Amino acid sequence: MLQQLSLGETFSSPRLHPININQLIDEALQLSAHQAHNKHINLLKQWTEILWINADSTQILRVLNNLLCNALRATPEGGTIQITLTKKNNGASISVSDTGSGISKRNLDSIFDPGFTTKTDGKGGLGMAISYLNIEAHGGELTVAQDQPQGLIVTIWLPLSLQQ
């Protein structure tokens, strides 16, 4: 995986099958609940319908966990992280927003670069690059935007499944 990442190659094709993305989001939130509780961070979810996508559930769960971990790290005690799921352009749009400190424009442009990190201890730097490649391998898109006045919004778009 690291060699593919350094060469800019995509990962091998994921093993796709219809999955309920709502259930996968719930699972990711459950995995983050303890850490959020310890930091007094509110984890919120919002959706109005059940959506199915064709995906490798292990890879998508890994991406969701990475996004939540990043949001938990950036969000101060008492803050909020929200996952919103909507149907958009024949796909599932999953947004993870936080009330953290945000990121500079210069760093925002580098967020998907392998090895890039804003951590002062130098650890990390692969999570967003790997997440980007995983979503791309699913035929989706991963974008990051500054949320005004603070925090980030990371959005995943994945095509809907034709079967449930």
Side-chain angles (χ1 to χ4, degrees), residues 52-161:
W52 290 78
I53 61 171
N54 283 324
D56 184 318
S57 59
T58 302
Q59 288 183 10
I60 299 303
L61 183 60
R62 188 176 302 131
V63 170
L64 292 170
N65 284 334
N66 179 62
L67 299 182
L68 286 168
C69 181
N70 288 347
L72 283 164
R73 196 175 299 114
T75 303
E77 190 167 311
T80 301
I81 298 169
Q82 179 165 325
I83 295 186
T84 305
L85 173 65
T86 57
K87 189 175 184 179
K88 183 178 178 182
N89 299 331
N90 260 354
S93 179
I94 307 154
S95 295
V96 179
S97 60
D98 65 60
T99 57
S101 56
I103 190 168
S104 72
K105 171 70 171 132
R106 182 184 60 138
N107 287 340
L108 191 61
D109 292 340
S110 303
I111 203 162
F112 297 122
D113 293 346
F116 173 79
T117 185
T118 58
K119 297 176 193 169
T120 56
D121 60 8
K123 294 180 181 175
L126 293 176
M128 290 301 289
I130 291 170
S131 294
Y132 182 87
L133 291 175
N134 276 323
I135 296 302
E136 185 179 70
H138 280 80
E141 297 175 7
L142 178 62
T143 59
V144 179
Q146 188 75 26
D147 190 14
Q148 300 301 325
Q150 60 186 355
L152 286 179
I153 299 176
V154 181
T155 304
I156 300 167
W157 180 89
L158 292 163
L160 292 175
S161 174

